[in-house]
Amino acid sequence: MNKRKVAVFVEGQSEYVFVRDFLCRWYDYDSSVLGIECFSLRSDRYNSEPYPFGNRESINYYQIVNVGNDRSVLSKMLKEAPRLQNVGFHQIIGLSDMYSDLYHVQTKERCIDLSVNQKFIDEHQNSLNTSLQRDLLSYHFAIMEVEAWILGMYQFLQQVDPSLTPQFIMSKLQIDLTADPEISFYHPAKILDEIYHLTGRQYGKHLSEVTAITSQFSKDDYARLLASGHCKSFKEFIKDLVAE
């Protein structure tokens, strides 16, 4: 019997993998407590992704939907909200990166602008407020990308290569990994790629690359980020996602 039944609409592969693997770690891979089904949504058709876990009767059941486009997350979740409410979902969450082509238009210098962040947040909230299902709906931005949350757990980099210490990265790239990545890096995925290049690797937001990273994270890694005071957008999203 479900205690919580949650649908999460995400913009792409990085977010889909991050949310999926976070939930598995957070609920200790306990199938009695956690059930997950993953889908890609193309032309309003749900296509099952090969990563089911637990079942629909688990205490917490999550349906993760990758819409494949940052500008479609809001419209897709609003369109699906009546149906999801009718089949018993308690919560519908949207997640996308703040970093986008639309953001570039608003900030021609390509820097983080808190007023633009708030404008995007307010616009999405206003759209949710027009829905009959507004009490079920919430929308979150990873600021600036979900890779900022990954960089907030930068200790994993030394599992990629022992040389990738914060001191070494600072000396080579003048990138301070101990700073809050949410307010420090306009394009976090590019920062991660630059760091990987130090050891002859690359990062391009591909499914295998994201999975290789998130598979290294433990529940303690996520808990430390939540307690760190960094990545406020991560903390707000997780609060909604697991209702703790």
Side-chain angles (χ1 to χ4, degrees):
M1 180 69 180
N2 301 131
K3 176 182 175 183
R4 295 182 72 238
K5 193 172 181 180
V6 183
V8 187
F9 288 78
V10 301
E11 74 165 67
Q13 291 184 142
S14 300
E15 295 76 18
Y16 149 64
V17 173
F18 187 95
V19 173
R20 180 197 74 189
D21 288 3
F22 168 85
L23 289 169
C24 288
R25 293 291 190 186
W26 196 255
Y27 290 111
D28 301 312
Y29 286 92
D30 184 342
S31 59
S32 67
V33 178
L34 174 67
I36 299 176
E37 284 188 285
C38 301
F39 300 91
S40 58
L41 184 57
R42 303 291 183 270
S43 302
D44 295 326
R45 181 174 180 175
Y46 281 78
N47 302 297
S48 182
E49 295 290 338
Y51 198 94
F53 182 85
N55 58 68
R56 294 187 178 187
E57 300 307 313
S58 300
I59 293 172
N60 300 283
Y61 169 70
Y62 290 86
Q63 189 177 97
I64 305 173
V65 184
N66 175 7
V67 305
N69 185 318
D70 62 330
R71 300 189 69 176
S72 297
V73 176
L74 180 63
S75 61
K76 296 296 185 184
M77 64 184 287
L78 286 171
K79 182 176 181 179
E80 292 293 302
R83 181 187 65 80
L84 291 168
Q85 183 182 45
N86 288 339
V87 296
F89 277 80
H90 306 117
Q91 195 169 10
I92 304 165
I93 303 171
L95 174 67
S96 63
D97 292 340
M98 184 65 76
Y99 181 91
S100 65
D101 291 339
L102 192 58
Y103 196 94
H104 304 333
V105 173
Q106 299 288 323
T107 57
K108 294 181 173 59
E109 291 83 14
R110 296 213 169 191
C111 62
I112 299 171
D113 187 321
L114 298 182
S115 64
V116 174
N117 291 359
Q118 194 59 51
K119 176 185 176 183
F120 277 50
I121 292 168
D122 290 344
E123 287 174 351
H124 281 66
Q125 186 57 51
N126 289 339
S127 294
L128 299 185
N129 290 341
T130 65
S131 170
L132 294 176
Q133 291 76 35
R134 56 185 172 273
D135 292 341
L136 279 66
L137 298 165
S138 62
Y139 200 99
H140 295 268
F141 286 97
I143 302 172
M144 292 291 292
E145 295 177 285
V146 74
E147 283 80 6
W149 300 351
I150 289 172
L151 289 168
M153 297 177 282
Y154 62 84
Q155 293 85 356
F156 85 90
L157 288 167
Q158 290 173 68
Q159 298 178 53
V160 175
D161 190 289
S163 71
L164 293 177
T165 64
Q167 296 80 9
F168 177 74
I169 292 166
M170 173 61 84
S171 70
K172 293 295 185 180
L173 300 173
Q174 286 70 58
I175 291 170
D176 182 6
L177 285 184
T178 66
D180 185 348
E182 181 174 295
I183 61 176
S184 303
F185 307 136
Y186 181 73
H187 191 354
K190 182 174 181 290
I191 296 293
L192 191 53
D193 185 46
E194 290 176 4
I195 293 169
Y196 268 45
H197 268 87
L198 291 175
T199 59
R201 297 172 173 84
Q202 63 182 17
Y203 177 81
K205 295 178 81 81
H206 300 301
L207 182 64
S208 60
E209 295 167 345
V210 183
T211 303
I213 293 172
T214 58
S215 65
Q216 298 180 63
F217 292 147
S218 68
K219 185 175 181 178
D220 287 342
D221 291 323
Y222 294 117
R224 277 193 294 269
L225 181 57
L226 288 169
S228 70
H230 290 181
C231 295
K232 179 183 175 184
S233 63
F234 173 73
K235 187 172 185 178
E236 291 174 346
F237 172 66
I238 297 305
K239 183 179 179 181
D240 253 6
L241 186 67
V242 299
E244 293 182 7

